[in-house]
Amino acid sequence: MTQPARPSSPASAPRATRPFDRGHTDDLMAFLAASPSPYHAVANAAERLEKAGFRQVAETDAWDGTSGGKYVLRGGAIVAWFVPEGAAPHTPFRIVGAHTDSPNLRVKPRPDSGAHGWRQVAVEIYGGPLLNSWLDRDLGLAGRLTLRDGSTRLVNVDRPLLRVPQLAIHLDRTVTADGLKLDKQRHLQPVWGLGHDVRDGDLIAFLEESAGIPAGEVTGWDLMTHSVEPPAHLGRDRELVAGPRMDNLLSVHAGTAALAAVATAATAPASIPVLAAFDHEENGSQSDTGADGPLLGNVLERSVFARGGTYEDRARAFAGTVCLSSDTGHAVHPNYAERHDPTHHPRVNGGPILKVNVNNRYATDGSGRAEFTAACEAADVPFQSFVSNNSMPCGTTIGPITAARHGIRTVDIGVAILSMHSARELCGADDPFLLANALTAFLER
């Protein structure tokens, strides 16, 4: 088993102060609980950045070249950046990239359904969830409502409202021998009450009332289920954290905290630090709020031009830019160790992971490893390497998309967890703040 790499170079002395400790992990748990949808996640990130002096700018307005922190919100995505005093138009960017969405069950356009005296909600499968983890779990409902005037409102029914009941073993004796087999259309529709009279509009009317919206004002919705069980410390010594949506709100939270820390530090960063948290990574990133869309490029270019830059300045800035694509990865599973590469066994609480795949499912190369090593050395943070077993297909991230779309040097990193894509995932209690410290050191370099 490989051991976490620890910084040893005397040229890279540990930071005099490290901004994050176990309190960061406690704050992550609060962030997870308050962010049941991508729309809530970016609203919460924006609120934290505003406390650090950032201000929202509208994409439809003309931008100025003033210094300070700014951010753009678009749907379930946020791009935030901090311009130091005196930054030249060709000043490069240092970007932390992440994604805000997680696999779950999402409400269909005609949500009201039911049969045999049960009232149900019609849902569609989003991304690649571990379907069995959504069974017999108390679920809330959250997301975004769009009103007749085009405005949007967040809604969060954070109480046991829905449940996907599993079939009793007495009615399927084959399950113990053959394993659980779920039909995505027939078996994943949650119940939310009783009644033979299923009426179109009941669910939306209920949500209008819950959000204090006049009846009939909601004409569009983007709604999803979430487990209402709160995040919790786990283990004899509370060295683990169990909770929802760690893939990938753990990285969004760490990136937000790191950007705020750099923006409020006594010493200005040499580059322009950026947080780019995208939606729709779990289904390919191809949307106006996904990493394969134009959002990040537009924001970076407009920042250059707002400071009086030319296309030449834009090219120079992009050529010197580095992005850390931060997403969760796989910790070695004690019950399935053979599924991992035999010489790469990332462990929880061993520090962040550097993700490598020579077929470019991750964007890391040798120069990227050196970049991440330098950040971890500066923060006095251990790190580990992750590579997939050659016999197993490798997942991917926003990293290769960002590198290819914008010509930006990109490095894939993250935190090792268990139960990825479950309704409830598991990480080490130390890794979130270790990641945040490494990201802070990266952004301030």
Side-chain angles (χ1 to χ4, degrees):
M1 178 183 298
T2 55
Q3 296 300 315
R6 291 191 173 272
S8 57
S9 171
S12 299
R15 296 165 52 90
T17 59
R18 201 177 293 136
F20 306 112
D21 54 20
R22 274 288 183 106
H24 173 88
T25 300
D26 293 335
D27 189 64
L28 167 64
M29 295 165 68
F31 184 81
L32 293 174
S35 304
S37 78
Y39 315 109
H40 289 83
V42 297
N44 289 324
E47 182 180 4
R48 289 159 185 257
L49 290 172
E50 290 199 352
K51 290 179 180 178
F54 285 70
R55 62 182 176 87
Q56 183 176 2
V57 293
E59 292 184 82
T60 53
D61 290 344
W63 292 4
D64 58 47
T66 56
S67 59
K70 304 171 186 179
Y71 69 90
V72 165
L73 286 182
R74 184 193 288 186
I78 182 171
V79 179
W81 66 104
F82 177 78
V83 180
E85 288 281 354
H90 61 268
T91 300
F93 302 92
R94 295 184 78 81
I95 305 168
V96 171
H99 68 87
T100 61
D101 58 321
S102 302
N104 55 21
L105 311 178
R106 301 205 171 186
V107 175
K108 287 185 174 181
R110 295 189 62 187
D112 298 290
S113 65
H116 306 290
W118 292 97
R119 300 180 70 184
Q120 295 177 274
V121 174
V123 296
E124 190 173 4
I125 311 302
Y126 178 83
L130 287 171
L131 296 177
N132 63 293
S133 70
W134 291 88
L135 302 179
D136 296 331
R137 190 179 291 275
D138 296 338
L139 303 175
L141 199 60
R144 178 179 66 174
L145 302 173
T146 303
L147 310 188
R148 291 186 181 277
D149 63 3
S151 63
T152 59
R153 293 275 293 276
L154 298 183
V155 62
N156 181 13
V157 182
D158 195 31
R159 66 170 178 84
L161 179 69
L162 307 166
R163 188 178 179 91
V164 182
Q166 189 169 185
L167 184 65
I169 192 171
H170 312 80
L171 303 179
D172 184 10
R173 296 288 185 178
T174 66
V175 70
T176 54
D178 301 335
L180 181 65
K181 296 175 181 172
L182 296 171
D183 183 291
K184 293 180 180 180
Q185 178 61 40
R186 294 184 296 124
H187 299 153
L188 273 298
Q189 307 306 309
V191 300
W192 76 303
L194 300 174
H196 293 280
D197 184 17
V198 176
R199 297 181 299 273
D200 282 343
D202 274 2
L203 179 67
I204 300 306
F206 165 77
L207 294 174
E208 286 175 330
E209 183 179 359
S210 299
I213 298 171
E217 282 298 302
V218 172
T219 56
W221 51 87
D222 302 279
L223 300 166
M224 59 207 71
T225 59
H226 66 276
S227 170
V228 299
E229 184 181 3
H233 284 286
L234 184 144
R236 184 193 66 180
D237 299 319
R238 297 166 59 86
E239 69 268 49
L240 303 170
V241 172
R245 299 176 295 282
M246 291 183 185
D247 179 14
N248 186 31
L249 294 189
L250 190 157
S251 294
V252 174
H253 177 258
T256 302
L259 179 59
V262 172
T264 55
T267 303
S271 300
I272 296 175
V274 179
L275 168 69
F278 302 101
D279 202 352
H280 303 129
E281 189 272 349
E282 297 293 356
N283 60 12
S285 295
Q286 292 185 320
S287 71
D288 69 323
T289 54
D292 204 17
L295 180 59
L296 177 60
N298 287 350
V299 168
L300 300 185
E301 287 181 348
R302 292 184 68 177
S303 175
V304 170
F305 298 151
R307 284 176 280 122
T310 63
Y311 184 82
E312 180 72 10
D313 292 313
R314 179 260 188 215
R316 292 175 66 188
F318 276 45
T321 292
V322 184
C323 174
L324 290 188
S325 164
S326 182
D327 203 345
T328 54
H330 304 294
V332 62
H333 197 301
N335 300 337
Y336 301 91
E338 73 281 359
R339 301 296 182 98
H340 300 263
D341 182 85
T343 60
H344 294 77
H345 283 176
R347 57 181 178 83
V348 298
N349 285 338
I353 55 174
L354 180 74
K355 302 161 82 169
V356 178
N357 179 262
V358 295
N359 293 303
N360 212 40
R361 300 291 284 172
Y362 302 132
T364 307
D365 61 10
S367 65
R369 179 184 177 88
E371 187 75 52
F372 188 57
T373 298
C376 289
E377 287 180 343
D380 193 26
V381 166
F383 73 91
Q384 311 172 83
S385 294
F386 171 83
V387 64
S388 289
N389 186 307
N390 287 338
S391 299
M392 304 289 293
C394 180
T396 191
T397 68
I398 66 167
I401 294 171
T402 303
R405 182 171 182 84
H406 305 293
I408 289 172
R409 185 156 59 103
T410 304
V411 188
D412 271 296
I413 66 161
V415 162
I417 69 171
L418 293 182
S419 305
M420 188 185 294
H421 286 199
S422 172
R424 197 167 177 84
E425 297 162 325
L426 186 69
C427 78
D430 293 344
D431 286 329
F433 72 80
L434 292 174
L435 174 65
N437 283 310
L439 295 182
T440 302
F442 165 75
L443 290 179
E444 68 187 7
R445 279 172 54 79

